[in-house]
Every structure is written in C-alpha cells, then in structure tokens.
Amino acid sequence: SVQRISSDMASLNSFIIAAASSSSSCQNHSLCHPLKSPLPLLRSFTFPRNTKKKSSASVWPLFCALNNQPLQYRKLGESDLNISEITLGTMTFGEQNTEKEAHDILNYAFDRGINALDTSEAYPIPMKKETQGRTDLYIGSWLKSQPRDKIILATKVCGYSERSSYVRENAKVLRVDAENIRESVEKSLKRLGTDYIDLLQIHWPDRYVALFGEFTYDPSKWRPSVPFVEQLQAFQELINEGKVRYIGVSNETSYGVMEFVHAAKVEGLPKIVSIQNSYSLLSRCRFEVDLVEEATIKYLELAKKHGLTPVQLALGFARDRPFMTSSIIGATSVDQLKEDIDAFTTTERPLPAAVMADIEDIFKRYKDPAIF
C-alpha cells in the first residue's frame, strides 16, 4: 500500500476501505456492492454497548457540517459506522514521525472532520521488533484527550507470517486462529488505551495468497490454513464480549471475500462489513514497471492540461468512484495532510467529464496488455 500522497508518482496511488455490502452513499449504483451475490444478505451484528456510541458518532458528521466541514460521510457496509470519506492512515507514526508530529497530524485531521483512523498491530512500517506497536502507542496517548465515541478506530490482526513471530508472546508462526486473534486484540486495546475496537480487520490472509510483490500464484507455497468458520467464530467471541464492534478483511481476494460471506451465512456468524485493498489510478490493474512509468507521465500531463495538481487528480478520481467508501490517506506532515484534504474538498465534485474521458483513454492505452 502507498500511504504517502504527494506530487510525484506516489500521488497517483491510494488505499481504500470499500463497503463490503450495501452502502447508503451509493445506493443507486450496482458497482457499490462488491459482495452482492445470489446469497441473501445476513442480518447486521450489533455491538452490545453501542447505543451511546452510535448516537454520538452520528452527531459528529452533523457537527462538522454545521461548522463548514465539506467532507462527506458514508455508512460503512451494513454497520452503523458513519465514516468520513477520508480515513487517516498512520503507518508512519513511530518510524518517519515522532509522537509530537503524529499528534499534530491527528489533531489537524480530527479538526477538519476526519473521524476514522487506520492502524495495525504491525505498524509502523517497515515491520521491526524494535518498533512494533509504537504507532498504537502514539495514537493511544492522543486518544486520552479525545472523545473516544466520536472516533472510528480501525486496526488489523496480522495474517500468516514466519518472520514476525515476535508479535506474539510464545509463537513460532503467526496464524489467524482464535488464540492469535485474541492475543492481538488484547494487546491492541492495551496499547491504544481503549476498551473496544470499531473495526477489526485481518491484515492479510491466513492461507497462501500472492501478495506484497508477488504477481503470480505459486502452487508450491500452498499450505493448510485456518478454516474461515473458525476465524469467524473467534471474532464472534470478541464481538459478544464488546471488545470488537465489526470485522473486515484487507489484502484479500474475491475468493476469500465470498468464502467469509458464505461461512457467515451458513453458520450464523458475523459478516465482514469492509474490504481494505489497493485502488488508484495506477493500481486499477497490475502494471509492468515500464507501463507504470509511462502511465505516470501521461497522468501528470493530464493533470496539467486540466489545471489540476497530481494530488487533485489522483484523489479526486478515487473519491468519485461509486464503490468507494473512504480513502486512507497517510501523511508525514501537516502540510501534506492539508494538501490531501483540500484535494477532496476543493476539487470539483465529481471530476469533469472531460477529465474522466482523458483518464479512461490513458487507462485503455497503458492497462495490463493481457486485458482486452
């Protein structure tokens, strides 16, 4: 994932949280239902203590609107989470950013209506034993002076890993099973200084999937994995205890998404409400390196042609997709965050038809050559 959005190649990349079921923000668009299938939709699972939290969270977008905050808010899937169209990514906190810098960025984001934070037990990035969990600690120290029920806190439990066993107390391999999930949540709650997580996501699958630089599936890497039902059962226990409100997935495939949905339906278990995957001008499909460079040049020329900055073009495009619920924007400075937020709030909404036509022309020319 590319968290840093600036006026270079990285400005054309972003990370998204897409609703994993019907979303009130795009109810007239069929594309906004990534999980719409012949399977009947399962009932919503509610948080046992969420009456107060739900009402407070619902009031916050209205408060922002009354105070001239131009950000939009959207319901995340079948949850009651009313999420800002920008989610603040935090994976640089504790590596590229000091605690004070992190707090300045968090304050700026919150003051301008961003109500969702994305973190992970793995952060900061790159993953290292010496810094693991520091991002959460910085967020936790900031949360002490904030109204917790007005903030949507999303975090992630690590998927399968043979290299990051230091994340657990006594483990040789990280798995997405009941024991690992519980330990992850308990430690995350402690670091963050809160008693509940609004959205808990599986950072990457327990089973083998071609990820993080792999572009083809390698059958030799197949391994037995924790059944989808067992994973959902572990999440169900934490939801029943009030420690987790909703669940989602990240870096997941369409197969994995549908298996989670099917298992939830058949077994009466919690249904995932979101999927957090890469999506941007440059990751609409998989590019060869030379195609990325050529496409980047063309998108920069396109932005200049229409009087837009690369940031306005990249974030405006992501913002306007009918299936997009919230774009995760990472920033290493307040100035950078300001530029990102302004791109959402001041760029014409939606982008003009002429801009979109030019984007599609570039996409058709520089897409994966195997796609007709």
Side-chain angles (χ1 to χ4, degrees):
S1 66
V2 179
Q3 292 274 354
R4 188 176 184 278
I5 308 296
S6 62
S7 56
D8 53 17
M9 184 186 294
S11 71
L12 301 178
N13 291 270
S14 63
F15 210 62
I16 70 165
I17 293 181
S21 58
S22 58
S23 171
S24 59
S25 66
C26 50
Q27 56 189 353
N28 295 322
H29 301 273
S30 60
L31 284 178
C32 76
H33 306 299
L35 301 190
K36 203 161 190 178
S37 72
L39 298 176
L41 294 178
L42 202 64
R43 62 186 176 88
S44 298
F45 284 79
T46 58
F47 183 53
R49 303 174 299 167
N50 72 348
T51 304
K52 179 180 179 181
K53 294 178 178 66
K54 179 177 179 180
S55 59
S56 297
S58 300
V59 169
W60 181 242
L62 177 60
F63 171 82
C64 293
L66 293 175
N67 285 274
N68 298 316
Q69 300 287 2
L71 286 180
Q72 294 186 6
Y73 297 82
R74 297 157 180 172
K75 184 182 177 187
L76 184 63
E78 293 184 336
S79 73
D80 65 5
L81 302 178
N82 207 23
I83 190 172
S84 52
E85 62 181 335
I86 295 177
T87 295
L88 182 64
T90 62
M91 74 177 188
T92 62
F93 294 178
E95 179 67 32
Q96 294 171 260
N97 291 111
T98 65
E99 186 170 20
K100 181 183 183 305
E101 290 170 340
H103 287 189
D104 289 344
I105 291 171
L106 286 161
N107 286 330
Y108 189 90
F110 188 68
D111 289 346
R112 278 148 190 82
I114 294 176
N115 70 348
L117 305 179
D118 177 72
T119 184
S120 169
E121 67 171 344
Y123 293 168
I125 297 298
M127 289 183 68
K128 293 183 293 187
K129 182 178 181 179
E130 296 76 18
T131 59
Q132 184 264 324
R134 191 178 292 171
T135 299
D136 284 352
L137 293 175
Y138 287 6
I139 294 173
S141 60
W142 177 78
L143 280 174
K144 291 179 181 178
S145 61
Q146 305 301 321
R148 175 65 183 89
D149 59 354
K150 292 184 176 65
I151 297 168
I152 295 172
L153 187 57
T155 190
K156 298 182 280 292
V157 53
C158 290
Y160 182 97
S161 176
E162 298 177 3
R163 296 181 297 174
S164 305
S165 59
Y166 57 81
V167 174
R168 301 282 174 262
E169 290 296 332
N170 297 294
K172 294 182 179 180
V173 180
L174 297 184
R175 302 303 303 267
V176 188
D177 56 20
E179 184 176 356
N180 276 266
I181 292 172
R182 178 166 291 278
E183 182 177 342
S184 172
V185 168
E186 297 290 356
K187 288 182 174 179
S188 292
L189 291 175
K190 184 176 181 180
R191 287 192 301 267
L192 292 164
T194 185
D195 61 353
Y196 67 98
I197 294 165
D198 294 290
L199 177 64
L200 179 63
Q201 304 153 96
I202 301 173
H203 207 154
W204 61 89
D206 182 79
R207 69 189 189 284
Y208 166 67
V209 175
L211 290 173
F212 308 131
E214 288 188 274
F215 290 96
T216 57
Y217 185 88
D218 184 350
S220 69
K221 294 183 179 180
W222 180 90
R223 59 175 177 266
S225 59
V226 179
F228 293 97
V229 169
E230 289 187 22
Q231 295 178 60
L232 292 178
Q233 288 172 337
F235 290 124
Q236 177 72 82
E237 291 183 6
L238 292 164
I239 290 173
N240 291 343
E241 294 170 16
K243 294 177 180 178
V244 173
R245 297 183 68 183
Y246 298 101
I247 60 171
V249 292
S250 177
N251 297 298
E252 185 55 276
T253 66
S254 55
Y255 165 78
V257 169
M258 294 311 299
E259 285 296 315
F260 273 117
V261 171
H262 181 68
K265 175 184 182 297
V266 172
E267 302 294 335
L269 292 167
K271 180 181 177 181
I272 58 174
V273 300
S274 66
I275 177 170
Q276 182 181 337
N277 278 10
S278 294
Y279 180 81
S280 70
L281 285 171
L282 292 182
S283 63
R284 297 172 72 181
C285 63
R286 289 173 172 169
F287 287 83
E288 297 294 335
V289 174
D290 58 335
L291 288 180
V292 171
E293 294 174 352
E294 293 178 33
T296 298
I297 293 172
K298 293 299 181 182
Y299 283 127
L300 293 176
E301 293 174 350
L302 187 160
K304 184 176 182 180
K305 171 185 174 182
H306 291 282
L308 299 169
T309 67
V311 174
Q312 289 173 325
L313 177 69
L315 298 187
F317 170 80
R319 176 200 65 190
D320 294 344
R321 299 308 90 212
F323 48 81
M324 185 80 71
T325 301
S326 185
S327 298
I328 302 179
I329 303 300
T332 53
S333 70
V334 172
D335 287 342
Q336 186 186 16
L337 181 59
K338 180 181 185 301
E339 182 181 11
D340 295 341
I341 295 175
D342 288 347
F344 267 80
T345 59
T346 64
T347 305
E348 185 175 347
R349 186 194 294 262
L351 289 176
V355 175
M356 288 305 304
D358 284 349
I359 287 175
E360 291 305 310
D361 285 343
I362 294 174
F363 176 63
K364 290 174 184 176
R365 181 175 180 184
Y366 294 100
K367 69 179 186 297
D368 185 331
I371 300 177
F372 294 99

